[in-house]
Every structure is written in structure tokens, then in C-alpha cells.
Amino acid sequence: MITKSIKTLITACLLCCGGAAALTACSDMFETDSDRQIFDPALDQKTDSMFYTLGMLKGLQMLADQYVMVGEMRGDLTATNSYTEIDLRQLADFSADASNKYDSAYVYYRVINNCNYFIAHRDTTLRTGSRLVTIPEYAEALAVRAWAYLQLAKNYGSVPFFTDPLTSIGDANSQHETKDIQGICDALAPELIRFSGTPVPTYGNISAGVLNSSDSENPQEKSVVSSRAMIPVDVILGDLFLETHQYEQAARYYFNFLRTNQWTIRQTWIDPTEIWILSSLREKMPSSFDPTFSGFQWGTIFNVTSTNDIVTYIPLAANRLRGVVTELPRYFGYDFYSTTSGSASSNERYLLERQIDASPAYYALSNAQDYYYTPSAATGGSTVVRTAEIGDLRRFYTMYPVTRNDSSFSVMRKFNSANVPIYRTATVYLRLAEALNRMGYPDAAFAILKDGISEDLLTYTARGDSTDLESGRYIQPETVEMLRTTVPFLSAENIAIFDDNWGIHSRGTYYTQGAFSPYQFNAIVGRKLAELAAKGSPVGITKADTINAVEDLICDEMALELAFEGNRFGDLTRIARHKNRAALYGGNYGSEWLAAKLAYKHPAVSLLDEKNWFLPLK
């Protein structure tokens, strides 16, 4: 039986189910010229799809802050401070009740109901010549609906589920079945699969308004790349199958997306010579260090108009006159909407009164990473790679050291452009690594961290003799076969597409590639196994032990690469469920693993019980 409170939230979503015209203000960045409403069931004009799709994007804007706060405050990478508001504190210590302002299923159901209406009424037979012109928007509505339902299930467990649009109070008062993640996957994946490979809609660039600046003679315009505001069908299919432990299916759909769009992990590093200005790292680097870099700077990947790393993001308006704005930059220490004097890069915009800090666990993980570099002069005619104990440099972009009014502190910069990344290329590859690992190919998963999946892996195929260890050959022959057939990165048809894939870990630690780097499968996995043993896990020497250890390495890499983007608690709980299901060290090992990671928060409830991972559904 549906409860009174659930009836209320479902009824409330009726109030925001106007089409794009009703969802956007007259000056909104997603403004359209349509006067058609969502309750016009005709939807018989070719241009209608654009109007309704922009309305869906408006709905995503209105949940962006909640998505990040719920995902990060309950994870292991954030910490509260004296400025943190009570609602954020309650999320952090798992004491949030239904009065918490970030606990709102309604913002997701509003999106779902708009998608339901579009899906139910859109005429998908409209053509221009032989092209079915409404299919990309129809597939996008399916993808957005699936994404919204997946977030609901991750936040609340089992949730009311409906695919017919609610257009009356009577509809809202009727009974609705509930579904958990498995039920949502079973219900939504089959239709999504029909549209695998469908390109996302694109309407060019959309103005999000003029950035607040004292330089009135040279105003800066914020531009939205519309195609990057869309959710690809294959990526959400990958997520649905990964969340439900269908690892091969997940890997196939992540691969389909990467192949169709030819997205790779590009050569992207952080130049320590820039970081030295901000820290004492120079003192820790040997005199032989060669500061010669090529490739993109890692921080530039968050610039949506100049990078191929952002797959999907929620763009927020540059000012309140142009639509929905975000509090995220301010929470993390940056006044994006400042109207005071000073440039956009001025330290005056950095806020000592930030509400969210990076946790000691985040800094400890970052600082524990080795940095791999090449000396200024090679010796013996071979590449020489050495190790410096300076940590992963991504932390210096993510948590940027600043000084203001004689106070030194760090602020998080990923939201400084008022954009919220939902998927990046790195997100997709790391989830692919998670799936490949649980499929039984920990070497392929590790390759995504170390070398990138490319033709170079054939060089590192193990022969099964004593030379494997010293020559860096760690890829098993059966893994090569899998990468040629099941998830065919290395097939004759696809191998050239992924020629420039690089290892994700190199983004913060530089030289992880090849046989000369100390970053090798046996060494790094062995170190993680020792770490787990030291924490009391009954570690053995089986392949299952290796898979568990590689999964922890992937989880660490997610923290280093994707910190504070809204994924973290969902990543932790998904991996915990993998571990519980595998039952390698006991059926509740994943819950114990999760509880240990979050023990520093002193949670108000026991995280050993999975029901306490969820928020109350109000």
C-alpha cells in the first residue's frame, strides 16, 4: 500500500509537469519558443522533441545540488567543520530524517513524470527523408528516466515505480508497486537495449548568461554544450547491469559507448612545476627530476568546451537571471556568483567560511601514492623510472591551496564553473574496470589504471616463464582473448580506435606505463593484499583474493580521480554489495568494509545493516 507521504510527493510532481515552456522562465538558459504544454498528447510536430528535452534538462538542474550532497556527505572523502550547516552534518553522520532539506525524492519523480509523459505520447514515426527524427530524444527520455530511478533506488532502497504519466490527482492516489535496483533494471533495461548506440540529441551551444565580473567592457559568456548535457543510453545500461552484478553485460555496454563515440583516456597529467609554487614539493624531488611534460593539464578536463573528458554534466546558470543556480561552489569554498570587484580567479572569491572540507582519509590516500618520474638523463640506454614520495598530484587541483586575509586553507575547485559532472570518460573506464575485475579479469582492470587498454597490452602478455616479472608482462592470454571477442577493444576492427588510451593512475602520478615503471601488477596488488591483511582480512593467495584487492585499488582510484563529484557513497555501497555477494571473507564482509571506511564519521546508526544505508523516503 502506498503511504500518505508518498502520495503527497507523487501528487506534488504533478505541479511541475508543464512542458519546457512551463518549466523555464522567460529568460531561462533552457528557454524555448514553444507554447505547447506537456499535457498536449499530440506531440506531433518534429520540433516538439527539443522543447520537451530541454524541459527534462531543467529538471536535472533542480536536483544537482542534492545529488552531490547526498552522494558526497555520506562518503569517506568529506569532513564537516565549524561552518557546516545542520542538514549537511546530519547527512554526514547518518542521522538525517525526513525533514532534511537534501532528502527529497520529489525532485527525481518530477523528472520521471515528465519523461513518462514524453515516452507515452511521442510519435516516434516522424521522418525527414528516411531518418526517424524523434528517436534520439525518445531514447534520451528513456535514459534520463532510468538514471533518475537508479538514483532513487540507491538513495532509498525500494521506491514507488510507475511508467505511465500521472496527469491527475486520481492517478497519484492510485496504488503503485515498489521496486529496488534489480526490479528497476529488469523493468527498464529491455527497452533501453533497443536503442543501444543511439546518439544523444544535440542543439549546439546554449548561452547560460554573462558571468558576474567587474570587467563590464569584456563580459564573459558561459556556454552550455548541449550534447554533453545528455545521458547516453549505453552508459546508463552499463550502470544498471553493474549495480545488479551482471558484470559482463555492464562491460559490454560501457564498451559499446566508448567504441561508438571513440572516447579514450587521453594523455593528461599535472605538471609538478606548477604545484611547486603552492607547496614544498620541490624540496622532496631529487635534483635529477626532469620537469618536461606533454599532454593536457588534468585541471583543464573540467572545462567542458575544450575537453573530451566530460560525457554528461548538469550546467547551472551563470547568474540568477538566466535560470537555476547552484550553491555547490560556495559550499566547497568558492563564491562563483560574487558581484564584488575582482576577477573570476581572484583570491577574494575563495571563502574561509566553506562548509565542506576534504577528509583526513582523502588526504591520507592521496599522500600515500608514489610519484613516478624519469631522471633528466637516461642511463644504460634504457628508460629509467624512479619513485618520489610526494603523493598523487590531483589533490592539489582538487583541493587548491589559497591564502586570504592571512589565512591559509584549501578549497575544492571542480565546481568553480557552476557545472556538475555526472559522467566523465574516467567514470566510464573506472566502472568498466570494476566490471572486468568481477568478470574474473583483474589484469584487464589493472590495465585501465596502469597502461590503458590499447594494442600495447599485447606487449605485456604473459608467457608463463620466469621473465614475466622482470619484463612487466602481466596480461594473461585468456584476457587477451576476452579483449578480442567478449569486450573487443583489441579486435581487428576496434584496435586502432583505442590506440591512444593511457592509464588513469598516471594522471596524478605520471609514469605508470610500461615495463620500466615501478607501478607493476604484482607489486601494487601485493601491497594492497598486505594492507588488507594488516587490517584483519583473512587474505589468501587465490584469484578471488586478487579480485578483491584490485577492486579496492579501483575504489581508491575513484577517490583520487572522481572525488567530490557526487558518486562516492553510491560507489562505496555498490562495491560493498559486490563484496557481500562474493562472500569471500564472509557474507557481511562488504558491510564491514563500508563501516570501517566511514567509522571516522561516528555514524548514528550501524552501517553493518544495509537498511541503514538508505535515507527515509518522505
Side-chain angles (χ1 to χ4, degrees), residues 5-6 9-10 12-13 63 66 70 98 100-113 148-149 151-153 155-156 158-160 162 615-618:
S5 62
I6 300 304
L9 79 86
I10 294 177
C13 79
L63 60 79
Q66 177 176 310
V70 168
N100 191 285
K101 70 180 182 181
Y102 300 104
D103 180 5
S104 174
Y106 152 71
V107 294
Y108 289 99
Y109 278 114
R110 174 174 48 202
V111 171
I112 288 166
N113 204 35
Y149 264 127
Q151 307 319 305
L152 282 171
N155 290 343
Y156 300 106
S158 187
V159 297
F162 53 94
L615 291 168
L617 182 61
K618 61 181 179 182

mmCIF file of all heavy atoms in Angstrom, residues 5-6 9-10 12-13 63 66 70 98 100-113 148-149 151-153 155-156 158-160 162 615-618:
data_model
loop_
_atom_site.group_PDB
_atom_site.id
_atom_site.type_symbol
_atom_site.label_atom_id
_atom_site.label_comp_id
_atom_site.label_asym_id
_atom_site.label_seq_id
_atom_site.Cartn_x
_atom_site.Cartn_y
_atom_site.Cartn_z
ATOM 1 N N SER A 5 2.476 9.876 2.765
ATOM 2 C CA SER A 5 3.581 10.768 2.411
ATOM 3 C C SER A 5 4.044 10.538 0.985
ATOM 4 O O SER A 5 4.400 11.481 0.273
ATOM 5 C CB SER A 5 4.749 10.577 3.388
ATOM 6 O OG SER A 5 5.244 9.264 3.327
ATOM 7 N N ILE A 6 4.052 9.279 0.527
ATOM 8 C CA ILE A 6 4.446 9.003 -0.857
ATOM 9 C C ILE A 6 3.396 9.545 -1.811
ATOM 10 O O ILE A 6 3.714 10.096 -2.864
ATOM 11 C CB ILE A 6 4.655 7.500 -1.060
ATOM 12 C CG1 ILE A 6 5.749 6.988 -0.118
ATOM 13 C CG2 ILE A 6 5.042 7.216 -2.503
ATOM 14 C CD1 ILE A 6 7.064 7.695 -0.233
ATOM 15 N N LEU A 9 4.174 13.224 -2.256
ATOM 16 C CA LEU A 9 5.276 13.611 -3.128
ATOM 17 C C LEU A 9 4.949 13.334 -4.586
ATOM 18 O O LEU A 9 5.329 14.093 -5.474
ATOM 19 C CB LEU A 9 6.575 12.937 -2.692
ATOM 20 C CG LEU A 9 6.874 11.485 -3.050
ATOM 21 C CD1 LEU A 9 7.516 11.399 -4.434
ATOM 22 C CD2 LEU A 9 7.821 10.873 -2.028
ATOM 23 N N ILE A 10 4.227 12.245 -4.857
ATOM 24 C CA ILE A 10 3.864 11.956 -6.236
ATOM 25 C C ILE A 10 2.845 12.986 -6.733
ATOM 26 O O ILE A 10 2.910 13.447 -7.873
ATOM 27 C CB ILE A 10 3.323 10.524 -6.369
ATOM 28 C CG1 ILE A 10 4.440 9.517 -6.062
ATOM 29 C CG2 ILE A 10 2.764 10.276 -7.755
ATOM 30 C CD1 ILE A 10 4.004 8.072 -6.083
ATOM 31 N N ALA A 12 2.700 16.020 -5.707
ATOM 32 C CA ALA A 12 3.432 17.275 -5.881
ATOM 33 C C ALA A 12 4.114 17.357 -7.228
ATOM 34 O O ALA A 12 4.229 18.439 -7.809
ATOM 35 C CB ALA A 12 4.462 17.427 -4.759
ATOM 36 N N CYS A 13 4.555 16.211 -7.747
ATOM 37 C CA CYS A 13 5.268 16.271 -9.021
ATOM 38 C C CYS A 13 4.337 16.619 -10.168
ATOM 39 O O CYS A 13 4.788 17.038 -11.236
ATOM 40 C CB CYS A 13 6.057 14.999 -9.310
ATOM 41 S SG CYS A 13 5.108 13.618 -9.921
ATOM 42 N N LEU A 63 17.893 19.246 -9.333
ATOM 43 C CA LEU A 63 18.315 18.225 -8.372
ATOM 44 C C LEU A 63 19.832 18.146 -8.227
ATOM 45 O O LEU A 63 20.339 17.323 -7.471
ATOM 46 C CB LEU A 63 17.738 16.857 -8.754
ATOM 47 C CG LEU A 63 18.086 16.239 -10.112
ATOM 48 C CD1 LEU A 63 19.460 15.594 -10.137
ATOM 49 C CD2 LEU A 63 17.028 15.189 -10.471
ATOM 50 N N GLN A 66 21.398 18.512 -4.616
ATOM 51 C CA GLN A 66 21.043 17.367 -3.779
ATOM 52 C C GLN A 66 21.821 16.133 -4.197
ATOM 53 O O GLN A 66 22.293 15.364 -3.343
ATOM 54 C CB GLN A 66 19.538 17.094 -3.868
ATOM 55 C CG GLN A 66 19.108 15.876 -3.072
ATOM 56 C CD GLN A 66 17.611 15.664 -3.092
ATOM 57 O OE1 GLN A 66 16.844 16.590 -2.832
ATOM 58 N NE2 GLN A 66 17.172 14.446 -3.394
ATOM 59 N N VAL A 70 24.087 14.443 -1.214
ATOM 60 C CA VAL A 70 23.731 13.112 -0.722
ATOM 61 C C VAL A 70 24.839 12.119 -1.055
ATOM 62 O O VAL A 70 25.171 11.239 -0.244
ATOM 63 C CB VAL A 70 22.380 12.666 -1.316
ATOM 64 C CG1 VAL A 70 22.130 11.182 -1.063
ATOM 65 C CG2 VAL A 70 21.247 13.496 -0.732
ATOM 66 N N ALA A 98 13.405 12.773 7.688
ATOM 67 C CA ALA A 98 12.626 13.244 6.545
ATOM 68 C C ALA A 98 12.542 14.757 6.460
ATOM 69 O O ALA A 98 12.129 15.298 5.434
ATOM 70 C CB ALA A 98 11.224 12.652 6.592
ATOM 71 N N ASN A 100 15.171 16.684 6.520
ATOM 72 C CA ASN A 100 16.416 17.185 5.936
ATOM 73 C C ASN A 100 16.144 17.743 4.538
ATOM 74 O O ASN A 100 15.492 17.102 3.718
ATOM 75 C CB ASN A 100 17.437 16.049 5.865
ATOM 76 C CG ASN A 100 18.830 16.544 5.521
ATOM 77 O OD1 ASN A 100 19.124 16.896 4.387
ATOM 78 N ND2 ASN A 100 19.690 16.563 6.524
ATOM 79 N N LYS A 101 16.660 18.919 4.266
ATOM 80 C CA LYS A 101 16.324 19.586 3.003
ATOM 81 C C LYS A 101 16.928 18.885 1.789
ATOM 82 O O LYS A 101 16.499 19.124 0.659
ATOM 83 C CB LYS A 101 16.761 21.045 3.025
ATOM 84 C CG LYS A 101 18.258 21.295 2.985
ATOM 85 C CD LYS A 101 18.533 22.801 3.004
ATOM 86 C CE LYS A 101 20.010 23.126 2.915
ATOM 87 N NZ LYS A 101 20.269 24.587 2.952
ATOM 88 N N TYR A 102 17.911 18.018 1.998
ATOM 89 C CA TYR A 102 18.500 17.273 0.881
ATOM 90 C C TYR A 102 17.831 15.914 0.677
ATOM 91 O O TYR A 102 18.203 15.183 -0.239
ATOM 92 C CB TYR A 102 19.999 17.087 1.102
ATOM 93 C CG TYR A 102 20.738 18.395 1.201
ATOM 94 C CD1 TYR A 102 21.166 18.875 2.432
ATOM 95 C CD2 TYR A 102 20.966 19.159 0.061
ATOM 96 C CE1 TYR A 102 21.824 20.093 2.527
ATOM 97 C CE2 TYR A 102 21.623 20.379 0.145
ATOM 98 C CZ TYR A 102 22.045 20.842 1.384
ATOM 99 O OH TYR A 102 22.684 22.054 1.467
ATOM 100 N N ASP A 103 16.872 15.595 1.527
ATOM 101 C CA ASP A 103 16.159 14.324 1.406
ATOM 102 C C ASP A 103 14.855 14.587 0.665
ATOM 103 O O ASP A 103 13.805 14.812 1.275
ATOM 104 C CB ASP A 103 15.888 13.744 2.798
ATOM 105 C CG ASP A 103 15.144 12.420 2.734
ATOM 106 O OD1 ASP A 103 14.934 11.915 1.618
ATOM 107 O OD2 ASP A 103 14.776 11.904 3.801
ATOM 108 N N SER A 104 14.905 14.566 -0.648
ATOM 109 C CA SER A 104 13.716 14.846 -1.443
ATOM 110 C C SER A 104 13.656 13.903 -2.635
ATOM 111 O O SER A 104 14.391 14.081 -3.615
ATOM 112 C CB SER A 104 13.713 16.301 -1.931
ATOM 113 O OG SER A 104 12.637 16.527 -2.814
ATOM 114 N N ALA A 105 12.788 12.909 -2.541
ATOM 115 C CA ALA A 105 12.550 12.055 -3.696
ATOM 116 C C ALA A 105 11.776 12.801 -4.776
ATOM 117 O O ALA A 105 11.851 12.458 -5.966
ATOM 118 C CB ALA A 105 11.775 10.806 -3.259
ATOM 119 N N TYR A 106 11.055 13.808 -4.355
ATOM 120 C CA TYR A 106 10.214 14.582 -5.274
ATOM 121 C C TYR A 106 10.991 15.136 -6.455
ATOM 122 O O TYR A 106 10.497 15.131 -7.593
ATOM 123 C CB TYR A 106 9.552 15.706 -4.474
ATOM 124 C CG TYR A 106 9.209 16.947 -5.243
ATOM 125 C CD1 TYR A 106 8.171 16.949 -6.175
ATOM 126 C CD2 TYR A 106 9.914 18.131 -5.029
ATOM 127 C CE1 TYR A 106 7.850 18.093 -6.877
ATOM 128 C CE2 TYR A 106 9.596 19.277 -5.724
ATOM 129 C CZ TYR A 106 8.568 19.257 -6.649
ATOM 130 O OH TYR A 106 8.256 20.395 -7.338
ATOM 131 N N VAL A 107 12.232 15.589 -6.246
ATOM 132 C CA VAL A 107 12.980 16.203 -7.358
ATOM 133 C C VAL A 107 13.274 15.183 -8.448
ATOM 134 O O VAL A 107 13.397 15.538 -9.629
ATOM 135 C CB VAL A 107 14.294 16.859 -6.860
ATOM 136 C CG1 VAL A 107 13.990 18.038 -5.948
ATOM 137 C CG2 VAL A 107 15.204 15.854 -6.162
ATOM 138 N N TYR A 108 13.382 13.913 -8.060
ATOM 139 C CA TYR A 108 13.588 12.858 -9.051
ATOM 140 C C TYR A 108 12.267 12.452 -9.711
ATOM 141 O O TYR A 108 12.224 12.217 -10.925
ATOM 142 C CB TYR A 108 14.256 11.648 -8.403
ATOM 143 C CG TYR A 108 15.706 11.899 -8.045
ATOM 144 C CD1 TYR A 108 16.078 12.240 -6.742
ATOM 145 C CD2 TYR A 108 16.704 11.808 -9.006
ATOM 146 C CE1 TYR A 108 17.402 12.485 -6.412
ATOM 147 C CE2 TYR A 108 18.034 12.048 -8.694
ATOM 148 C CZ TYR A 108 18.372 12.386 -7.390
ATOM 149 O OH TYR A 108 19.691 12.636 -7.083
ATOM 150 N N TYR A 109 11.201 12.347 -8.922
ATOM 151 C CA TYR A 109 9.913 11.972 -9.509
ATOM 152 C C TYR A 109 9.396 13.035 -10.481
ATOM 153 O O TYR A 109 8.688 12.712 -11.439
ATOM 154 C CB TYR A 109 8.889 11.698 -8.410
ATOM 155 C CG TYR A 109 9.016 10.310 -7.835
ATOM 156 C CD1 TYR A 109 9.406 10.114 -6.515
ATOM 157 C CD2 TYR A 109 8.760 9.191 -8.621
ATOM 158 C CE1 TYR A 109 9.535 8.842 -5.985
ATOM 159 C CE2 TYR A 109 8.888 7.912 -8.102
ATOM 160 C CZ TYR A 109 9.276 7.737 -6.787
ATOM 161 O OH TYR A 109 9.411 6.465 -6.285
ATOM 162 N N ARG A 110 9.737 14.278 -10.238
ATOM 163 C CA ARG A 110 9.351 15.332 -11.184
ATOM 164 C C ARG A 110 9.964 15.056 -12.551
ATOM 165 O O ARG A 110 9.304 15.165 -13.593
ATOM 166 C CB ARG A 110 9.823 16.687 -10.651
ATOM 167 C CG ARG A 110 9.620 17.852 -11.612
ATOM 168 C CD ARG A 110 9.971 19.162 -10.945
ATOM 169 N NE ARG A 110 11.249 19.105 -10.263
ATOM 170 C CZ ARG A 110 11.602 19.934 -9.276
ATOM 171 N NH1 ARG A 110 10.752 20.837 -8.842
ATOM 172 N NH2 ARG A 110 12.790 19.845 -8.719
ATOM 173 N N VAL A 111 11.246 14.690 -12.563
ATOM 174 C CA VAL A 111 11.920 14.353 -13.818
ATOM 175 C C VAL A 111 11.291 13.105 -14.431
ATOM 176 O O VAL A 111 11.019 13.039 -15.637
ATOM 177 C CB VAL A 111 13.426 14.146 -13.573
ATOM 178 C CG1 VAL A 111 14.115 13.584 -14.816
ATOM 179 C CG2 VAL A 111 14.087 15.451 -13.151
ATOM 180 N N ILE A 112 11.053 12.093 -13.608
ATOM 181 C CA ILE A 112 10.499 10.830 -14.095
ATOM 182 C C ILE A 112 9.141 11.046 -14.740
ATOM 183 O O ILE A 112 8.854 10.500 -15.822
ATOM 184 C CB ILE A 112 10.407 9.820 -12.936
ATOM 185 C CG1 ILE A 112 11.807 9.324 -12.552
ATOM 186 C CG2 ILE A 112 9.496 8.635 -13.286
ATOM 187 C CD1 ILE A 112 11.872 8.602 -11.223
ATOM 188 N N ASN A 113 8.276 11.834 -14.108
ATOM 189 C CA ASN A 113 6.936 12.005 -14.653
ATOM 190 C C ASN A 113 6.956 12.742 -15.991
ATOM 191 O O ASN A 113 6.189 12.417 -16.911
ATOM 192 C CB ASN A 113 6.036 12.735 -13.661
ATOM 193 C CG ASN A 113 4.568 12.434 -13.902
ATOM 194 O OD1 ASN A 113 4.202 11.320 -14.285
ATOM 195 N ND2 ASN A 113 3.709 13.417 -13.690
ATOM 196 N N ALA A 148 17.258 8.584 -13.243
ATOM 197 C CA ALA A 148 16.558 9.123 -12.075
ATOM 198 C C ALA A 148 16.062 8.000 -11.169
ATOM 199 O O ALA A 148 16.191 8.071 -9.930
ATOM 200 C CB ALA A 148 15.393 10.005 -12.528
ATOM 201 N N TYR A 149 15.498 6.943 -11.755
ATOM 202 C CA TYR A 149 15.055 5.814 -10.935
ATOM 203 C C TYR A 149 16.232 5.145 -10.236
ATOM 204 O O TYR A 149 16.126 4.717 -9.073
ATOM 205 C CB TYR A 149 14.312 4.789 -11.796
ATOM 206 C CG TYR A 149 12.806 4.955 -11.776
ATOM 207 C CD1 TYR A 149 12.091 5.053 -12.962
ATOM 208 C CD2 TYR A 149 12.109 5.001 -10.577
ATOM 209 C CE1 TYR A 149 10.702 5.206 -12.958
ATOM 210 C CE2 TYR A 149 10.723 5.149 -10.554
ATOM 211 C CZ TYR A 149 10.032 5.260 -11.743
ATOM 212 O OH TYR A 149 8.657 5.406 -11.714
ATOM 213 N N GLN A 151 19.007 6.571 -9.200
ATOM 214 C CA GLN A 151 19.410 7.391 -8.049
ATOM 215 C C GLN A 151 18.432 7.211 -6.891
ATOM 216 O O GLN A 151 18.845 7.139 -5.729
ATOM 217 C CB GLN A 151 19.487 8.874 -8.447
ATOM 218 C CG GLN A 151 20.343 9.198 -9.658
ATOM 219 C CD GLN A 151 21.631 8.423 -9.714
ATOM 220 O OE1 GLN A 151 22.430 8.428 -8.776
ATOM 221 N NE2 GLN A 151 21.861 7.743 -10.831
ATOM 222 N N LEU A 152 17.135 7.149 -7.205
ATOM 223 C CA LEU A 152 16.145 6.924 -6.148
ATOM 224 C C LEU A 152 16.404 5.615 -5.416
ATOM 225 O O LEU A 152 16.392 5.562 -4.175
ATOM 226 C CB LEU A 152 14.734 6.913 -6.742
ATOM 227 C CG LEU A 152 14.104 8.263 -7.079
ATOM 228 C CD1 LEU A 152 12.809 8.053 -7.862
ATOM 229 C CD2 LEU A 152 13.816 9.063 -5.808
ATOM 230 N N ALA A 153 16.629 4.541 -6.166
ATOM 231 C CA ALA A 153 16.844 3.234 -5.542
ATOM 232 C C ALA A 153 18.135 3.214 -4.733
ATOM 233 O O ALA A 153 18.198 2.576 -3.672
ATOM 234 C CB ALA A 153 16.858 2.146 -6.608
ATOM 235 N N ASN A 155 19.393 5.771 -3.191
ATOM 236 C CA ASN A 155 19.203 6.614 -2.010
ATOM 237 C C ASN A 155 18.186 6.050 -1.025
ATOM 238 O O ASN A 155 18.305 6.271 0.181
ATOM 239 C CB ASN A 155 18.745 8.011 -2.430
ATOM 240 C CG ASN A 155 19.836 8.813 -3.119
ATOM 241 O OD1 ASN A 155 21.013 8.482 -3.017
ATOM 242 N ND2 ASN A 155 19.436 9.851 -3.832
ATOM 243 N N TYR A 156 17.157 5.345 -1.548
ATOM 244 C CA TYR A 156 16.027 4.974 -0.699
ATOM 245 C C TYR A 156 15.743 3.477 -0.640
ATOM 246 O O TYR A 156 14.879 3.055 0.133
ATOM 247 C CB TYR A 156 14.762 5.703 -1.186
ATOM 248 C CG TYR A 156 14.894 7.209 -1.144
ATOM 249 C CD1 TYR A 156 15.069 7.940 -2.312
ATOM 250 C CD2 TYR A 156 14.866 7.895 0.067
ATOM 251 C CE1 TYR A 156 15.202 9.317 -2.285
ATOM 252 C CE2 TYR A 156 14.998 9.280 0.113
ATOM 253 C CZ TYR A 156 15.178 9.982 -1.070
ATOM 254 O OH TYR A 156 15.312 11.350 -1.025
ATOM 255 N N SER A 158 13.911 0.484 -1.902
ATOM 256 C CA SER A 158 12.762 0.137 -2.732
ATOM 257 C C SER A 158 11.854 1.352 -2.838
ATOM 258 O O SER A 158 11.469 1.942 -1.820
ATOM 259 C CB SER A 158 12.013 -1.047 -2.116
ATOM 260 O OG SER A 158 11.000 -1.509 -2.975
ATOM 261 N N VAL A 159 11.480 1.740 -4.075
ATOM 262 C CA VAL A 159 10.774 3.007 -4.282
ATOM 263 C C VAL A 159 9.536 2.794 -5.154
ATOM 264 O O VAL A 159 9.478 1.851 -5.949
ATOM 265 C CB VAL A 159 11.707 4.055 -4.958
ATOM 266 C CG1 VAL A 159 12.876 4.375 -4.055
ATOM 267 C CG2 VAL A 159 12.189 3.566 -6.332
ATOM 268 N N PRO A 160 8.532 3.667 -5.009
ATOM 269 C CA PRO A 160 7.355 3.577 -5.891
ATOM 270 C C PRO A 160 7.781 3.677 -7.353
ATOM 271 O O PRO A 160 8.593 4.528 -7.715
ATOM 272 C CB PRO A 160 6.512 4.783 -5.475
ATOM 273 C CG PRO A 160 6.914 5.053 -4.063
ATOM 274 C CD PRO A 160 8.376 4.727 -3.992
ATOM 275 N N PHE A 162 6.459 3.712 -11.424
ATOM 276 C CA PHE A 162 5.392 3.834 -12.414
ATOM 277 C C PHE A 162 5.982 4.355 -13.711
ATOM 278 O O PHE A 162 6.917 5.163 -13.713
ATOM 279 C CB PHE A 162 4.266 4.752 -11.925
ATOM 280 C CG PHE A 162 4.722 6.113 -11.470
ATOM 281 C CD1 PHE A 162 4.713 7.199 -12.330
ATOM 282 C CD2 PHE A 162 5.160 6.314 -10.163
ATOM 283 C CE1 PHE A 162 5.131 8.450 -11.908
ATOM 284 C CE2 PHE A 162 5.589 7.569 -9.742
ATOM 285 C CZ PHE A 162 5.569 8.640 -10.617
ATOM 286 N N LEU A 615 18.219 6.653 2.950
ATOM 287 C CA LEU A 615 17.537 7.787 3.559
ATOM 288 C C LEU A 615 16.059 7.442 3.737
ATOM 289 O O LEU A 615 15.512 6.599 3.017
ATOM 290 C CB LEU A 615 17.660 9.014 2.662
ATOM 291 C CG LEU A 615 19.054 9.632 2.534
ATOM 292 C CD1 LEU A 615 19.081 10.644 1.390
ATOM 293 C CD2 LEU A 615 19.483 10.284 3.837
ATOM 294 N N PRO A 616 15.371 8.126 4.683
ATOM 295 C CA PRO A 616 13.924 7.920 4.802
ATOM 296 C C PRO A 616 13.213 8.542 3.606
ATOM 297 O O PRO A 616 13.521 9.659 3.194
ATOM 298 C CB PRO A 616 13.571 8.648 6.106
ATOM 299 C CG PRO A 616 14.649 9.671 6.279
ATOM 300 C CD PRO A 616 15.899 9.061 5.700
ATOM 301 N N LEU A 617 12.287 7.807 3.039
ATOM 302 C CA LEU A 617 11.549 8.284 1.867
ATOM 303 C C LEU A 617 10.334 9.052 2.350
ATOM 304 O O LEU A 617 9.424 8.488 2.952
ATOM 305 C CB LEU A 617 11.120 7.095 0.998
ATOM 306 C CG LEU A 617 10.383 7.418 -0.300
ATOM 307 C CD1 LEU A 617 11.260 8.245 -1.224
ATOM 308 C CD2 LEU A 617 9.962 6.128 -1.002
ATOM 309 N N LYS A 618 10.353 10.351 2.091
ATOM 310 C CA LYS A 618 9.242 11.169 2.604
ATOM 311 C C LYS A 618 8.306 11.565 1.478
ATOM 312 O O LYS A 618 8.642 11.501 0.299
ATOM 313 C CB LYS A 618 9.791 12.425 3.277
ATOM 314 C CG LYS A 618 10.589 13.352 2.351
ATOM 315 C CD LYS A 618 11.112 14.550 3.107
ATOM 316 C CE LYS A 618 11.922 15.471 2.198
ATOM 317 N NZ LYS A 618 12.490 16.616 2.908
#
